[in-house]
Amino acid sequence: MQSGRSCLAIILAAGEGTRMKSLRPKVLHEVAGRSLLGHAIASVSAAGADAIVIVIGPDRPEVAAEAKALLPAAEIAIQQERRGTAHAVLAAREALARGYDDVLVAFADTPLLRPETYQAMRAELAKGSQIAALGFEARDPTGYGRFVIEGGALKAIVEHKDASEAERAITLCNAGLMALEGRDALAILDAIGNANAQNEYYLTDAVAVARGKGLKTVALTAPESEVQGVNDRAQLASVEAEFQRRKRLEVMANGATLIAPETVFFSHDTRIGRDVLIEPNVVFGPGVSVADEAVIHAFSHLEGAEVGPQASVGPYGRLRPGAKLGRKVRIGNFVEIKAADLGEGVKVNHLTYVGDASVGPNSNIGAGTITCNYDGFLKSRTTIGAGAFVGSNSSLVAPVTIGDGAYIGSGSVITRDVPADALAIGRGRQVEREGWARNFRAEAQEMKKNAAKTKD
Ligand code: UD1
Ligand code: MG
């Protein structure tokens, strides 16, 4: 990592988040299937952080639990009282005192920051600055801290509430993100006071303090779309939209075709191969990978699934967690696959549920087949061999095994194992009665006539 410099990341997550109107802490709300906190952790990790401290408010065990679940090595620091962003950073004093080359301060509610941006800030420290702060050109600067630039250098950051008229005219605003040279960080943070409009300890004052010590401070910029934060549900949706926009471009840049990109929704971890075709209105939940040359037809929903090369899913296909499709598998309309392994060339073309199952290569599962995997208490498995043929509208009552090359007659309820290459039929035997329908119609018509007469 960057000239071998060590890095501590401090993620501030002690927000109140009242505008979310939610029982859940704000930073646990999700964008593309991952919590805001998860996005922040992933970005600073990718930027090379060796240690990560999450600063949370008191009584927020859910946030600590999420941090630990995402990254067992994460350290938790509690900020007992909300007394400002510098005060929050100092909750991580112990980690700061260990001594790192770079200290990154990130906000947990700003999930779109790219690792490259954090890396660019670290690069400024490596080049000799003591502080690098990230700014953006704000469409509406109201409420943000303003960057005061003098002679090309960042002289100070002035909070909106403390700013003069002239300073309020500045549109280059503080995104909140800061990188500090670790050697000086504690001394700078400890020197910050709270003599301001909000009586808070502002992290932004680190700039003026550093300048007072004759240290070098620099401003970097990022697009406003990258630094947008989440305070309410509308902003959450806006961040989601920006994430999806980026992900669609990434998927297409990697060689997949999206016919109507704006109608396809990805998860943070969706992996799409080359020459994959994705039709309109497809949703990817977490944990999906799609191999090269596969086709995902319109209106399909996939989560926790693996789609093999040249396989095809949908239209209206549903893949649930543990669905694993081999090469050239075909999943047709209104088919649901869960925790099932389908070998190469398997066809499940219509109206079928395959759950807790394995299906050998080249088997054909007819329309309306159901693996009956649940008896109200336990789940059981269905095992189907290679080259088997399951006739339409069959119920396979698990646990049950169907051998290689076996044939299941349509409409069967299969409750016992079927040997390889056997035929199994489990349904009522068909009977025909000559002339029955003709006689029935004649009798019925007679009865209807008599009934009408008695009414008259
Ligand atoms: C902060 C910046 C401002 C910047 C803006 C960008 C300061 C003083 N101001 O202002 O320059 O333009 O972000 O959005 O840094 N937090 C704590 N503990 C605290 C206070 C805050 O953990 O005691 C956390 C919050 O949860 C949040 C972040 O720090 O994640 C920023 O706090 P917030 O109160 O939103 O700061 P702003 O006033 O928006
Ligand atoms: Mg804020």
Side-chain angles (χ1 to χ4, degrees):
M1 184 71 255
Q2 264 165 13
S3 55
R5 291 169 64 95
S6 63
C7 177
L8 166 69
I10 300 172
I11 299 177
L12 304 190
E16 287 155 344
T18 44
R19 278 160 61 196
M20 294 298 280
K21 307 236 167 83
S22 174
L23 295 173
R24 249 200 289 177
K26 178 172 78 175
V27 299
L28 299 191
H29 284 263
E30 291 181 351
V31 165
R34 172 149 78 184
S35 65
L36 300 180
L37 180 62
H39 283 278
I41 290 176
S43 286
V44 297
S45 298
D50 302 294
I52 298 179
V53 180
I54 320 286
V55 178
I56 62 177
D59 312 318
R60 281 299 198 205
E62 317 96 295
V63 180
E66 164 81 348
K68 285 285 185 191
L70 291 165
L71 183 74
E75 298 166 51
I76 308 294
I78 312 275
Q79 186 194 19
Q80 290 298 345
E81 272 178 282
R82 248 180 95 91
R83 298 177 69 190
T85 44
H87 182 258
V89 172
L90 281 169
R93 178 182 294 278
E94 225 175 86
L96 283 162
R98 288 202 296 262
Y100 290 86
D101 297 318
D102 300 346
V103 174
L104 281 177
V105 179
F107 291 170
D109 63 0
T110 312
L112 296 173
L113 271 154
R114 296 172 310 127
E116 293 81 349
T117 304
Y118 288 112
Q119 274 162 352
M121 303 184 73
R122 294 188 61 193
E124 291 298 330
L125 301 183
K127 280 194 283 180
S129 286
Q130 270 69 36
I131 291 182
L134 188 68
F136 65 103
E137 276 298 332
R139 263 169 309 174
D140 175 9
T142 313
Y144 291 113
R146 308 297 208 283
F147 275 10
V148 181
I149 305 281
E150 237 179 49
L154 179 63
K155 192 185 141 210
I157 305 175
V158 184
E159 287 305 292
H160 182 89
K161 286 187 177 146
D162 301 289
S164 64
E165 274 310 306
E167 286 164 340
R168 285 188 181 181
I170 298 171
T171 52
L172 183 60
C173 291
N174 179 29
L177 186 72
M178 196 177 273
L180 300 96
E181 161 68 49
R183 209 178 33 233
D184 313 305
L186 258 181
I188 291 174
L189 291 164
D190 278 329
I192 293 172
N194 67 345
N196 53 53
Q198 303 184 82
N199 290 322
E200 279 189 8
Y201 296 88
Y202 292 161
L203 175 63
T204 44
D205 282 349
V207 173
V209 170
R211 301 279 296 185
K213 291 176 184 270
L215 302 172
K216 201 173 158 206
T217 56
V218 63
L220 273 79
T221 57
E224 185 164 11
S225 58
E226 182 178 346
V227 303
Q228 60 183 309
V230 174
N231 296 298
D232 57 33
R233 308 273 181 161
Q235 288 173 342
L236 184 68
S238 164
V239 164
E240 176 80 44
E242 173 61 14
F243 185 96
Q244 294 297 339
R245 193 188 66 80
R246 270 192 202 171
K247 184 79 186 182
R248 289 164 190 146
L249 289 175
E250 175 198 311
V251 166
M252 291 189 281
N254 290 339
T257 293
L258 273 59
I259 294 172
E262 66 286 359
T263 68
V264 176
F265 294 83
F266 294 103
S267 267
H268 64 97
D269 60 354
T270 312
R271 284 181 294 145
I272 306 287
R274 266 173 193 239
D275 289 316
V276 167
L277 169 65
I278 303 175
E279 290 186 353
N281 297 302
V282 172
V283 175
F284 292 90
V288 176
S289 68
V290 179
D292 296 351
E293 299 179 272
V295 180
I296 311 297
H297 292 283
F299 298 103
S300 293
H301 189 283
L302 301 83
E303 58 181 319
E306 216 176 286
V307 177
Q310 299 174 3
S312 113
V313 175
Y316 298 98
R318 179 160 188 220
L319 301 186
R320 291 175 50 209
K324 204 169 158 224
L325 314 187
R327 178 180 290 273
K328 291 189 172 174
V329 165
R330 295 181 64 89
I331 299 300
N333 44 257
F334 306 108
V335 169
E336 174 180 343
I337 310 283
K338 184 216 76 170
D341 212 320
L342 276 51
E344 178 166 351
V346 165
K347 291 187 187 139
V348 191
N349 276 332
H350 338 261
L351 299 157
T352 290
Y353 173 62
V354 177
D356 300 311
S358 71
V359 183
N362 301 314
S363 287
N364 189 323
I365 311 294
T369 298
I370 306 285
T371 53
C372 309
N373 60 331
Y374 186 51
D375 59 11
F377 297 93
L378 295 173
K379 298 266 168 71
S380 301
R381 289 193 69 80
T382 301
T383 306
I384 300 173
F389 185 95
V390 177
S392 297
N393 208 29
S394 293
S395 301
L396 310 176
V397 182
V400 71
T401 298
I402 291 160
D404 292 345
Y407 215 96
I408 307 296
S410 296
S412 290
V413 178
I414 299 296
T415 55
R416 293 196 306 267
D417 290 354
V418 179
D421 294 319
L423 166 68
I425 304 179
R427 63 180 183 225
R429 195 171 271 277
Q430 181 169 321
V431 291
E432 305 84 37
R433 295 198 188 127
E434 279 294 332
W436 183 95
R438 194 185 328 108
N439 296 341
F440 169 77
R441 275 193 300 272
E443 278 171 27
Q445 255 158 20
E446 194 60 26
M447 273 163 66
K448 201 170 168 185
K449 223 189 284 167
N450 294 340
K453 261 188 206 146
T454 36
K455 231 181 178 180
D456 294 341

